[in-house]
Amino acid sequence: MPNNQSSRKSSSHSGIVSVVLVYAVFAGLWILLSDQLMQMIVTDPEQLVWISMFKGWLFVCITSMLLYGTMLRWIGSGDASLDVPKASHWFRIPFLSLVIIICLFTATSVVNTREHQKQTEIARLQAIADLKSAEVIDWLKERQRNVDFVQTSRFFAEQFQRWQEAGDEQSGRQLQARLEQFAANYGFAAVSILDGQGNRLWGTSKAPQVLSPNVLSAVAKALVVGNAQRIGPTRDAAGQLWLDFIVPLTALPGSAPIIVLHSNLADWLLPKLHTWPLPSASGETLLFRRDGEQVLYLSDLRYHQSSTSDLTLPIANEKLLAAQALRNNVSSADYIEGVDYRGTPSIGVVHAIEGSDWMLLAKFDQVDLYHEVAGDTAWISFAGLVTLFVSIAGFYLLRQGQQLAVVKAVRQIQEERLEALSLLSAIADSSDDAIFAKDLEGRYTFFNPAASLFVGKPVEEVLGYDDREIFPLEQAEKLMAIGQQIIANNAISYQEEALDTTNGTRTFLATKGPLSDKQGQTIGIFGISRDITALKQVEQSLREGEERLRLAQSSAHIGIWDWDLNTGAVTWTAELEEIYGYSKGSFPGTYSAFSERVHPNDLAEVERLQDEAVNAHQAFDLDFRILLPSGITRWVSCKGGAIYDDTGKAVRVFGVNIDITKAKVAEQSLRQQSEEIAQRNEELERFNRAMVGRELEMIELKKRVNKLSGQLGHAPPYPLDFIDAPLVHEKTDGSQ
C-alpha cells in the first residue's frame, strides 16, 4: 500500500510537470507568433484593438481546453478506482455557461470602457476647442478694436493732412512715430501709410515695400466703401503668415488716406494654436477656411513640411475632417471622425470663428485614443483570464470573483464621477464669485455658498425657486428675461447687473450661458457673477478726481509738462499748449518746440539754472519770458524737479508752468511809478535848494541896500525886521 501511494504521488508530480511544460510551450509560441501574424494582416488601429481582444479570449479558451485535456489524461486517469460522482458532470454546463457569461461581460466592459474613454477624450477635445476658439475670437476682436480706433482717430487724420497738404514734415514724423508706438503697444509687426489713391508713402522697417495684389484690391475697396478691410492670413516669400488690416482714416472729410496694419501671426496667434494644454502625442489645433472647392489651411501644420506655401485639399474628400465641417456645417458641440491632411485617421472638434470665415479644428490621431483603450482592454482581459482560472477552483469562487469584478468596475466609475463632482463642488464652494445654474423655467438647480451669502438665504431655500423669491420684482423680471434671451440665442452673454443684496445694492459682472445635455439639447443656463462694486467706485472716484484736477488746472491757467530724457518726448497738457500759443493737440512733443518759444534773451539762463538744479538733485523755480508767433510776450513761472534711476542719472524732468504775465506787468508798473516819484522828489529838492539860495542872496543884497541908504541919510527901503526878530520856541507844556 505505501508503494502504491508513492507511485501515485510520483505519477501525479510528473503529470503536473507535463501540464506546466505543455502550457508554457503553447503560451510562448502563441505570444511569439500571433502578434507578428496580426501585425502583418491588420493595420487599422480600431480593428487591431478588437482582434487583440478576441485573440486574448481565444487564447483563454484554447488553454482552458488544453489544461482540461492534459489534466484529465495525466492526472485524472491516474487512479482507475476513483469514481467521479455523477453530480460532478453537471458542472460542465454551469461552467461553460459561466465562461460564456464572463466573456460577454468582459466584452461589454471593454466596449463600455472604450466608449467611456472616447467620450472623456472628446470632452477634453471640446474643452480645448472652446478655449482655443475663444482665444482666437478675443484676439480678432482686440484687433478690430484697434482698427476702429485708428479709423476714427482725428489726431492721425489731422497729422496726415498737415503732413501731405500743408507740407509739415514735423507732423509727418510725429504721425509715423505715433503709429510705430501704436504698433508696438498693440502687437502689430509693421505699419504702412498710403495716400488717398493707394500709393505707398511710408512704412516701418518690417513693412513690405511692394503690397500684394490682394492688399491693393482691398485698399481700392476700402477707398470706395470707406470701411476697414481684413486680408489674410497670407504667406510671404519667407513662409511667414500675415494678417493685414486696411484702415481708411475717415475722421475728417475728403479723400481718406489708408493705414495698413500688418500683423505677423507668428508673434502670438500661431504659438497659441500650437500649444496643446494636455499631454498628447498628436494633438493639434489649426485654422482653415473654404477657398472655392478647396479646403485652405491658414495656419502652420504640425506634420506639413512645406513652410513657403499654403496647403489646399479638395472639399469633395468625404473622410477629410475639415471638408466634413465645411460641407455639413458641423456644430461645435459635435465631434467628427475621419482623416486629417496627412490621411491619418483622426477625431476632431470644429468651431466657427466669430467675425470671420475661419474655422478652428482641434484634433488628435485615433491611435492615441485606441492606444489607451487597448491598455484598458488588456487589463480587463487579464482580469477575465484570472477569473476563468479561479473558476476552475469552484463555481462559487467564480461567482464571487464575477461579483467582485462587477463591484470594482461600478465603484471605479462611481469614484471617477464622485471625484469629478467633488472637484467641481470644491471649486464652487471655495469661489468668492456667485455660481449658479437654472432650468428652462428659471428655477435654481445649483447655488454655491458665495451666492447664498450675497442674497442672505441658505441654499435649500433657493433651490427650486426662481428670481422672484430672491430679488425685488423689477430686478427679478429683468434677470429672468436675460435668461430666456440666452436660451433663445444659445450663446454666452456678459453684462453688468445692479442687484439688492444683504450688503446693499451691489454691481456684478455676470457671465451667463446655456447648459446642454449629452445630446446637445439646452436644459438650462449657468451663471458666474463677480462683485465689482469696489472697482466701479474706484473708477468713479478716479474720474471725479481727474475732472477736479482738470478744472483746477483750467481755471488757474496751470499747465503740466513731462520730459522723458531717454526718448526726448515732451508731453504737455492742453492748458500749457494754450499758454505757449499752440492750438489744442498741436504741440509736436519735442524739446525744440518748447525752446523756440522761450525769449532768446532768457533761453540760456533758463537752461543753465534748470541743468544746475537737476544735476544737484534739487527742485527748480524759474521765471522767464516766452515770445509767441504773434509777437506777444508772456511771463511764465516754472517749478519742477527730476526723477532719477538707480545710478543717480536723471531719466525724467517734470513740472508745472503758470502764466504770471499780469503779475509781472503790475510789478513793472509799480516799479516804474516808484522810479518816477523818486525822480520828481529829487527834482523838487533841487528846486527847493535853488530857491532858498536865491532868497538868501536877495536878503543879503537888501541888507546892503538898507545899510547904504542909512549911510546916505535915507530910510531903509526894505523891511527886514523879521530877520532880526527872536524865534518863538514851543514850550515844554505844549503852549507857544
Side-chain angles (χ1 to χ4, degrees):
M1 188 68 179
N3 293 333
N4 292 335
Q5 292 179 353
S6 176
S7 175
R8 191 159 51 247
K9 289 182 179 179
S10 176
S11 176
S12 299
H13 182 269
S14 62
I16 293 174
V17 172
S18 299
V19 170
V20 172
L21 289 176
V22 170
Y23 178 83
V25 171
F26 178 82
L29 292 174
W30 180 277
I31 295 173
L32 180 63
L33 299 177
S34 63
D35 290 340
Q36 294 182 355
L37 181 62
M38 187 174 61
Q39 292 177 0
M40 292 173 58
I41 298 175
V42 181
T43 58
D44 183 76
E46 185 174 7
Q47 294 180 359
L48 189 64
V49 171
W50 284 101
I51 292 177
S52 297
M53 181 183 68
F54 286 112
K55 185 191 73 168
W57 286 115
L58 183 61
F59 173 79
V60 170
C61 294
I62 293 177
T63 52
S64 298
M65 290 186 292
L66 183 64
L67 287 173
Y68 177 77
T70 53
M71 292 176 68
L72 182 62
R73 180 175 180 180
W74 282 307
I75 300 178
S77 61
D79 188 0
S81 63
L82 183 60
D83 294 329
V84 178
K86 293 183 180 180
S88 64
H89 295 290
W90 290 99
F91 175 78
R92 297 178 182 178
I93 296 177
F95 177 77
L96 293 177
S97 301
L98 185 60
V99 168
I100 294 173
I101 293 173
I102 292 175
C103 292
L104 292 176
F105 175 79
T106 307
T108 303
S109 299
V110 169
V111 172
N112 291 337
T113 302
R114 176 179 176 275
E115 186 64 23
H116 174 73
Q117 180 68 25
K118 182 177 181 179
Q119 294 300 325
T120 301
E121 293 299 325
I122 289 173
R124 293 176 181 174
L125 191 61
Q126 288 173 335
I128 293 172
D130 291 341
L131 172 65
K132 295 298 181 179
S133 62
E135 290 176 344
V136 174
I137 291 172
D138 291 342
W139 183 81
L140 282 178
K141 288 182 178 178
E142 180 65 24
R143 300 286 76 76
Q144 187 60 44
R145 285 193 288 270
N146 297 336
V147 168
D148 294 341
F149 171 80
V150 172
Q151 182 175 0
T152 58
S153 172
R154 190 176 184 87
F155 172 80
F156 289 149
E158 290 176 347
Q159 292 296 94
F160 184 88
Q161 282 190 350
R162 285 194 289 269
W163 175 30
Q164 292 298 309
E165 297 179 7
D168 185 358
E169 294 298 330
Q170 179 67 25
S171 297
R173 288 191 294 271
Q174 185 175 5
L175 173 62
Q176 295 163 12
R178 290 292 291 273
L179 285 174
E180 287 181 338
Q181 183 180 4
F182 179 85
N185 290 342
Y186 294 101
F188 292 98
V191 181
S192 298
I193 302 178
L194 313 181
D195 61 15
Q197 289 72 40
N199 300 316
R200 186 179 186 274
L201 300 177
W202 172 86
T204 58
S205 59
K206 294 184 179 180
Q209 297 296 323
V210 179
L211 299 178
S212 65
N214 291 338
V215 174
L216 292 176
S217 176
V219 169
K221 183 177 180 181
L223 291 173
V224 173
V225 301
N227 294 330
Q229 305 293 319
R230 182 177 68 221
I231 298 299
T234 56
R235 195 181 300 273
D236 60 13
Q240 294 288 323
L241 282 170
W242 294 84
L243 186 64
D244 299 321
F245 297 88
I246 316 302
V247 187
L249 299 182
T250 58
L252 294 178
S255 179
I258 297 293
I259 302 296
V260 183
L261 301 175
H262 307 277
S263 181
N264 190 339
L265 300 189
D267 292 340
W268 186 89
L269 185 60
L270 293 182
K272 277 291 183 183
L273 290 176
H274 295 165
T275 302
W276 194 265
L278 297 173
S280 176
S282 61
E284 184 179 8
T285 307
L286 49 89
L287 292 174
F288 65 93
R289 66 177 176 84
R290 187 186 190 109
D291 186 10
E293 294 301 317
Q294 299 288 323
V295 177
L296 175 61
Y297 291 91
L298 303 177
S299 59
D300 290 336
L301 305 177
R302 181 175 181 179
Y303 301 102
H304 184 57
Q305 299 300 323
S306 176
S307 61
T308 59
S309 62
D310 296 319
L311 176 65
T312 58
L313 295 174
I315 293 181
N317 189 335
E318 295 183 357
K319 292 186 177 181
L320 187 64
L321 295 177
Q324 293 182 50
L326 293 174
R327 288 197 311 269
N328 304 325
N329 295 324
V330 178
S331 170
S332 60
D334 299 329
Y335 69 94
I336 51 179
E337 297 184 64
V339 297
D340 63 1
Y341 53 88
R342 302 168 294 162
T344 302
S346 303
I347 297 177
V349 174
V350 177
H351 279 208
I353 301 302
E354 178 184 348
S356 71
D357 60 348
W358 303 355
M359 301 192 78
L360 180 140
L361 171 64
K363 64 90 181 174
F364 58 80
D365 295 347
Q366 290 186 13
V367 68
D368 290 348
L369 173 64
Y370 296 130
H371 176 73
E372 294 191 12
V373 173
D376 294 339
T377 303
W379 280 106
I380 295 174
S381 301
F382 177 76
L385 181 62
V386 171
T387 305
L388 283 177
F389 278 106
V390 171
S391 66
I392 298 175
F395 175 77
Y396 293 104
L397 293 179
L398 180 60
R399 286 185 59 187
Q400 293 177 1
Q402 181 182 6
Q403 293 174 356
L404 181 61
V406 173
V407 171
K408 183 178 180 181
V410 173
R411 186 177 63 184
Q412 181 179 358
I413 296 174
Q414 291 177 344
E415 287 178 351
E416 290 177 357
R417 292 179 179 177
L418 288 175
E419 183 178 357
L421 292 174
S422 299
L423 179 60
L424 290 176
S425 178
I427 294 174
D429 291 345
S430 61
S431 175
D432 294 331
D433 299 335
I435 302 175
F436 57 87
K438 301 179 182 179
D439 60 16
L440 294 176
E441 284 72 33
R443 297 186 296 263
Y444 284 96
T445 58
F446 179 78
F447 212 67
N448 76 330
S452 175
L453 184 63
F454 282 133
V455 301
K457 290 186 176 183
V459 175
E460 55 270 15
E461 293 185 10
V462 176
L463 296 180
Y465 296 95
D466 57 27
D467 293 301
R468 287 171 291 197
E469 299 294 329
I470 304 174
F471 301 105
L473 182 60
E474 182 179 355
Q475 295 179 4
E477 295 293 341
K478 183 177 180 181
L479 292 175
M480 295 180 71
I482 293 174
Q484 292 301 320
Q485 184 177 4
I486 291 172
I487 294 174
N489 297 337
N490 195 31
I492 296 178
S493 173
Y494 307 91
Q495 64 271 333
E496 291 185 3
E497 299 173 345
L499 301 175
D500 293 343
T501 69
T502 55
N503 296 324
T505 302
R506 310 292 290 180
T507 301
F508 295 89
L509 178 59
T511 301
K512 300 179 181 179
L515 279 175
S516 303
D517 57 15
K518 292 183 179 181
Q519 289 72 35
Q521 298 295 323
T522 301
I523 59 175
I525 65 170
F526 73 89
I528 302 175
S529 295
R530 173 162 294 181
D531 188 351
I532 59 171
T533 306
L535 178 60
K536 300 295 288 186
Q537 292 173 348
V538 170
E539 290 179 352
Q540 182 64 25
S541 299
L542 289 176
R543 284 195 294 267
E544 293 175 354
E546 290 175 354
E547 182 63 19
R548 287 195 295 269
L549 178 60
R550 187 189 65 80
L551 293 175
Q553 292 176 1
S554 178
S555 60
H557 298 287
I558 299 175
I560 301 175
W561 56 271
D562 190 340
W563 181 15
D564 191 331
L565 298 181
N566 291 330
T567 64
V570 180
T571 304
W572 278 9
T573 61
E575 291 78 14
L576 197 57
E577 289 180 323
E578 181 180 358
I579 292 173
Y580 278 77
Y582 284 98
S583 60
K584 186 176 181 181
S586 64
F587 176 63
T590 61
Y591 180 79
S592 60
F594 154 74
S595 61
E596 67 184 13
R597 293 293 171 93
V598 180
H599 197 286
N601 296 338
D602 295 352
L603 180 59
E605 183 68 10
V606 169
E607 291 179 340
R608 183 185 65 81
L609 294 176
Q610 181 175 280
D611 290 342
E612 288 179 355
V614 172
N615 294 333
H617 290 224
Q618 297 177 352
F620 51 84
D621 188 351
L622 312 173
D623 292 346
F624 56 87
R625 293 170 293 173
I626 60 175
L627 185 60
L628 304 186
S630 61
I632 298 175
T633 300
R634 289 180 178 171
W635 278 91
V636 174
S637 175
C638 178
K639 297 178 175 62
I643 296 177
Y644 305 87
D645 59 15
D646 296 337
T647 64
K649 177 185 176 182
V651 293
R652 285 177 56 199
V653 183
F654 61 93
V656 296
N657 283 12
I658 306 175
D659 187 352
I660 59 172
T661 304
K662 292 182 180 179
K664 282 293 184 179
V665 170
E667 180 182 343
Q668 290 176 354
S669 177
L670 290 174
R671 186 182 300 111
Q672 184 177 358
Q673 291 177 6
S674 298
E675 290 176 354
E676 291 177 355
I677 292 173
Q679 183 177 1
R680 291 179 181 178
N681 288 337
E682 184 178 353
E683 292 176 354
L684 184 59
E685 288 178 0
R686 287 199 305 269
F687 176 76
N688 288 337
R689 287 195 298 270
M691 293 300 294
V692 170
R694 184 177 298 176
E695 186 67 26
L696 292 176
E697 290 177 356
M698 291 297 296
I699 292 173
E700 187 63 30
L701 180 59
K702 289 179 180 181
K703 284 182 177 182
R704 291 179 183 178
V705 172
N706 285 345
K707 184 178 180 181
L708 182 60
S709 296
Q711 291 176 356
L712 294 176
H714 299 289
Y718 301 105
L720 299 175
D721 296 338
F722 68 89
I723 297 175
D724 298 328
L727 296 174
V728 179
H729 299 284
E730 293 182 356
K731 298 181 181 180
T732 59
D733 58 359
S735 63
Q736 296 183 350

